Amino acid sequence: MTTGKTHRIALVPGDGIGAPVIEAAVEVAQKALGGTLETETFPWSCDHYLQTGAMMPEDGIETLRGFDAILLGAVGWPEKVPDAVSLHGLLLPIRKAFVQYANMRPHRLLPGVEGPLRKEDFDILCIRENTEGEYSGAGGRVHQGTTGEVAVETAVFTRTGVERILRFGFEQARKRRGKLASVTKSNAQKFSMVFWDEVTRELSAEYPDVEVSQYHVDAISARMVMAPETLDVVVASNLFGDILTDLGAAIQGGLGFAASANINPDGTAPSMFEPVHGSAPDIAHLGIANPIAAIWSAAMMLDHLGEGEAAARIMAALEATTSRGIGTVPGKDRTDDITAAILSALD
Ligand code: IPM
Ligand code: MN
């Protein structure tokens, strides 16, 4: 069953393998919904930057605001545009402007996928703070090019920001196995991270049903490799979450499987869904990008849009496909063949 509602989706395929994986994700999502997505594609990318001098037009954010959700492929092509320019011109401003403060990244092995660990029984949901912390953008450089050069980049943690991401983590833990791991580095960073730990303890009183553990980021990195089955929901700051979710992608078999949802939980602006992988310039024209991460991200989008049943059918089709060994080994199957297998598993 689908709701039958029309959903207006902004597609930003971006660079490199972004376009083919988004095409695959839209095809699968449309089939699962019976065609109720109304999509509009925006060509914002590094090529767009070379043509116009900007990654997106000045009113880009306002244009996107009118949509129910955004599906994004990948941003970046360092040979054409420096990453710090392309990412700060498109992906990062969208996350901030639309207050997509909760970046959800699930890490588990799809059936048939062999991870690098000797374990298969983990199911982790990383929740990364997505608007402040180490990505606040506060800082500057002086005396550039001289021996006296100084670069400062300040991590900013606000009570509003820390409370809301931890609350989101507690709520997710409640919906899952009731365990929350809060990640800091409060043994070394005595202001921001001690503050985060304090807020974790304060809020835990409101969630007596959730079992809370506090880890330092170095220790939980080791735990994700050695004992990932002991983790349920993991909540971390922007940069720690960024790093831990590449580790999470690795233990789930690679970036081709890592999905993500940039959620605005308050519904005041559209949320954005994107695979964790980048634009992969090295394989961009080979037709072998794995569309699974993008398709999984599209399933998260449908779930967010109230189409939980269609999302579940997509996940079942993904799992049926990987169980048959299709899309499980990087570079073995072609994007189109993996997509076709998933589409037919949807029947
Ligand atoms: C991610 C990416 C981005 C990030 C980069 C491309 C800026 O690594 O989504 O994990 O650091 O947030
Ligand atoms: Mn990353």
Side-chain angles (χ1 to χ4, degrees), residues 152-266:
V152 177
E153 187 129 10
T154 306
V156 174
F157 290 84
T158 65
R159 183 168 281 277
T160 301
V162 174
E163 260 190 41
R164 69 188 179 188
I165 195 64
L166 283 166
R167 251 180 222 292
F168 189 86
F170 276 106
E171 298 291 343
Q172 293 300 314
R174 250 186 195 164
K175 291 189 201 156
R176 290 171 48 102
R177 302 192 301 282
K179 287 169 63 170
L180 182 76
S182 171
V183 180
T184 63
K185 185 62 189 170
S186 52
N187 52 353
Q189 296 187 294
K190 62 181 179 178
F191 304 117
S192 57
M193 297 283 98
V194 168
F195 170 56
W196 179 296
D197 279 354
E198 280 171 17
V199 178
T200 303
R201 278 194 297 275
E202 275 169 38
L203 288 180
S204 67
E206 290 179 40
Y207 297 88
D209 49 321
V210 175
E211 184 194 320
V212 183
S213 311
Q214 291 171 287
Y215 294 99
H216 295 310
V217 65
D218 46 354
I220 203 169
S221 306
R223 180 171 286 267
M224 280 178 71
V225 173
M226 304 300 287
E229 71 283 0
T230 61
L231 297 167
D232 178 11
V233 175
V234 172
V235 61
S237 67
N238 211 332
L239 180 61
F240 289 173
D242 175 48
I243 298 165
L244 290 178
T245 54
D246 257 42
L247 179 57
I251 65 171
Q252 75 187 128
L255 282 156
F257 303 103
S260 92
N262 302 273
I263 301 288
N264 170 326
D266 308 323

Side-chain angles (χ1 to χ4, degrees), residues 75-76 83 87-88 91-92 95 103 105 128 130 135 238-239 241-243 245-246 260 262 274-278:
V75 181
D83 279 343
L87 275 317
H88 282 280
L91 176 67
L92 300 173
R95 288 178 180 167
N103 188 329
R105 297 182 165 187
R128 161 185 181 188
N130 214 27
Y135 282 46
N238 211 332
L239 180 61
D242 175 48
I243 298 165
T245 54
D246 257 42
S260 92
N262 302 273
E274 50 161 341
V276 177
H277 62 66

Side-chain angles (χ1 to χ4, degrees), residues 94-132:
I94 297 173
R95 288 178 180 167
K96 279 187 190 160
F98 293 156
V99 206
Q100 296 164 347
Y101 66 78
N103 188 329
M104 303 169 75
R105 297 182 165 187
H107 302 298
R108 63 183 172 84
L109 281 168
L110 291 173
V113 177
E114 218 174 292
L117 307 181
R118 282 168 304 179
K119 324 205 160 217
E120 295 185 348
D121 55 341
F122 61 87
D123 180 355
I124 301 173
L125 176 63
C126 273
I127 296 171
R128 161 185 181 188
E129 201 293 319
N130 214 27
T131 56
E132 56 170 43

